[in-house]
Amino acid sequence: MDGPRRPLPTEWNQVVDFFNDNLRFDQSWKIDQEYPLAIHSKNLNNIRVLSINNELMSGAVMKMHIMKCSMGLFKVAAIGSVVTAPEHRNKGYSHEVLKDCLQAAEEQVCDFALLWSNLYDFYRKVGFELAGSEVSLVIDKEMNAENPEVKILETNKIAPEALLKLYNFHTTGTIRTVEDIKAYLKIPNTRFYTAWDKGNQLLAYAVEGKGADLNGYIHEWGGMVSHLVPLFSHIRKAQGRTITVIAPNNSSNLIRSMKPYCSTVNHGFLGMIKLLNYDNFFQKAIRYSRNLGVDGFIVHKDGDTFLIGCKDKIYQTTDEKDIVRIIFGPMNEVDYKNFDQETQTVLKQLFPIPFWAWGWDSV
Ligand SMILES: CC(C)(COP(=O)(O)OP(=O)(O)OC[C@H]1O[C@@H](n2cnc3c(N)ncnc32)[C@H](O)[C@@H]1OP(=O)(O)O)[C@@H](O)C(=O)NCCC(=O)NCCS
């Protein structure tokens, strides 16, 4: 067995074929078109594979993102395309690959790793936990919210600079370049919708579908709520089916405006998170608490023990999940009952942080 290791540049075509044959064998496009930044030869150093007799049999892909939210900037390892060839499964290969990914992400000073999966127990075994929040607005009612002042176009011929300008108004998400957006605009099996004013200024955008994933889901959007609502109304009508908008929990204005059109508003998890460089990450949390004028907040890892609290009231846990849930949420009232009143007030003031990842950046 050879690996886990980063692939050799000479193996590139073999690597793309491996992920494609095991994950997208039934599609008309290739997997690198679906993940143009992650499955790209420039990102080779962040891919891990295992091979036997020169044949690839297990692998995973990471994309390092710089992500922002009100707590500051994070370096995040987004992990995906985790796969073992069917004949080699249940021999521990994926876990070996994942552990190697996490080690590389730690060495690259990532604050935490993030992934999207429904194989919760599989990823829990390497330390991931469900955390963060995401709201799904299921638009199943008729919407007649079009606005004659707003012109809607369905095309991917959108200036990436204009998209980026609107995207940058988001308070949370990955820091992107124009080149990143250009690449994302070419992802197959995607529908793009834009709203324009009479002077041909881009007012809002929405993206539905992403390759084999997110069919029927608007996973990227931007612009003011007053322009997004007519845009979503158009999409609902044009597609003639239930459409779900996914949004960060803190988009309260949008959520409130869309509720009349949704029988269901689901509150789910953002994804699965595993902390990596504890000291770095906790220093950011402490700095953030000071910026908000909170004195004496402490979060620290000492050996296997996590310490969290305020002033002289410090709580201990050896379960990373407890800390991840406090910082990223979700926490319910019963969870807070484990803390004294003053600590509860501080934790609720600081956390959960309004952190979110947009659909194009999932791997
Ligand atoms: C999921 C997958 C990657 C696991 O690969 P693998 O090499 O067989 O995994 P491992 O042998 O390292 O499994 C390690 C552990 O996870 C468990 N496990 C494996 N597949 C699992 C699954 N689908 N759900 C829950 N646990 C699973 C194993 O039983 C094993 O547990 P143990 O350590 O207690 O014995 C593989 O089944 C696969 O390629 N599936 C198709 C693609 C896929 O779904 N990828 C995940 C995308 S998010």
Side-chain angles (χ1 to χ4, degrees):
M1 193 172 79
D2 180 18
R5 59 178 174 83
R6 64 187 71 179
L8 300 169
T10 49
E11 281 177 307
W12 182 245
N13 291 338
Q14 209 185 325
V15 168
V16 177
D17 285 347
F18 169 75
F19 286 114
N20 195 66
D21 295 349
N22 284 286
L23 292 167
R24 292 293 182 274
F25 50 87
D26 50 355
Q27 304 297 349
S28 57
W29 60 84
K30 278 200 108 169
I31 194 163
D32 53 337
Q33 292 174 271
E34 212 173 300
Y35 301 105
L37 304 184
I39 305 188
H40 192 287
S41 54
K42 280 191 196 151
N43 194 43
L44 189 81
N45 280 344
N46 295 319
I47 296 176
R48 288 294 178 276
V49 290
L50 256 174
S51 57
I52 291 183
N53 299 331
N54 291 327
E55 198 173 327
L56 300 179
M57 53 165 186
S58 189
V61 175
M62 280 187 292
K63 177 76 182 84
M64 307 318 187
H65 292 307
I66 303 294
M67 302 188 72
K68 67 172 179 181
C69 76
S70 56
M71 190 171 131
L73 289 179
F74 301 124
K75 189 167 179 188
V76 181
I79 300 183
S81 297
V82 178
V83 67
T84 298
E87 62 277 22
H88 294 292
R89 286 181 189 166
N90 290 313
K91 296 178 186 166
Y93 294 149
S94 264
H95 273 184
E96 287 303 311
V97 168
L98 277 168
K99 279 190 220 151
D100 202 56
C101 285
L102 293 175
Q103 194 187 329
E106 201 181 322
E107 284 164 11
Q108 291 190 49
V109 211
C110 290
D111 291 291
F112 54 91
L114 171 66
L115 57 81
W116 296 262
S117 174
N118 53 6
L119 302 180
Y120 308 135
D121 290 335
F122 173 68
Y123 288 107
R124 279 189 179 118
K125 285 181 180 155
V126 277
F128 282 87
E129 190 47 57
L130 279 169
S133 304
E134 171 169 290
V135 177
S136 303
L137 301 157
V138 184
I139 315 173
D140 52 358
K141 298 188 189 169
E142 285 305 313
M143 276 186 86
N144 284 308
E146 281 91 332
N147 176 346
E149 299 293 309
V150 175
K151 186 174 68 180
I152 310 285
L153 292 180
E154 293 180 27
T155 172
N156 69 343
K157 306 251 175 308
I158 316 160
E161 295 81 3
L163 272 190
L164 186 60
K165 201 168 151 200
L166 282 187
Y167 173 80
N168 282 340
F169 281 104
H170 289 309
T171 52
T172 181
T174 302
I175 306 290
R176 292 176 179 162
T177 65
V178 167
E179 291 307 313
D180 296 344
I181 300 218
K182 254 188 211 164
Y184 285 149
L185 282 167
K186 292 185 198 144
I187 296 177
N189 202 25
T190 305
R191 270 85 30 213
F192 301 89
Y193 301 88
T194 44
W196 306 80
D197 71 8
K198 294 209 159 123
N200 286 330
Q201 289 293 314
L202 182 65
L203 299 172
Y205 65 89
V207 181
E208 180 271 307
K210 181 191 179 211
D213 296 327
L214 297 168
N215 182 15
Y217 286 83
I218 295 175
H219 56 86
E220 288 276 336
W221 47 263
M224 279 167 26
V225 171
S226 57
H227 300 131
L228 284 165
V229 172
L231 187 61
F232 295 156
S233 179
H234 169 93
I235 299 170
R236 167 84 175 95
K237 233 173 235 165
Q239 295 208 5
R241 60 170 174 163
T242 297
I243 290 287
T244 301
V245 176
I246 45 181
N249 207 14
N250 58 314
S251 299
S252 39
N253 210 351
L254 180 81
I255 296 168
R256 200 176 327 107
S257 304
M258 290 305 295
K259 263 190 181 161
Y261 311 110
C262 305
S263 303
T264 315
V265 175
N266 284 320
H267 291 261
F269 296 98
L270 163 64
M272 297 191 83
I273 291 177
K274 158 95 188 82
L275 297 182
L276 294 171
N277 283 283
Y278 300 96
D279 287 351
N280 253 359
F281 182 67
F282 292 158
Q283 278 310 315
K284 289 179 188 181
I286 291 168
R287 211 178 310 135
Y288 165 68
S289 72
R290 291 202 190 115
N291 288 343
L292 290 183
V294 174
D295 273 339
F297 168 71
I298 291 164
V299 58
H300 179 67
K301 186 168 189 261
D302 186 8
D304 289 339
T305 306
F306 294 91
L307 307 169
I308 192 163
C310 200
K311 295 175 191 156
D312 56 340
K313 292 180 188 113
I314 306 298
Y315 297 80
Q316 292 191 10
T317 176
T318 50
D319 193 346
E320 185 174 317
K321 172 177 81 204
D322 298 335
I323 301 294
V324 168
R325 283 283 176 92
I326 291 171
I327 296 180
F328 292 94
M331 290 274 282
N332 55 40
E333 277 309 312
V334 177
D335 300 325
Y336 284 117
K337 290 270 181 299
N338 297 319
F339 301 96
D340 66 276
Q341 202 57 49
E342 189 189 5
T343 308
Q344 279 190 39
T345 307
V346 164
L347 293 182
K348 285 180 185 174
Q349 187 185 346
L350 298 176
F351 308 118
I353 54 170
F355 172 79
W356 206 58
W358 296 86
W360 268 341
D361 300 311
S362 64
V363 182

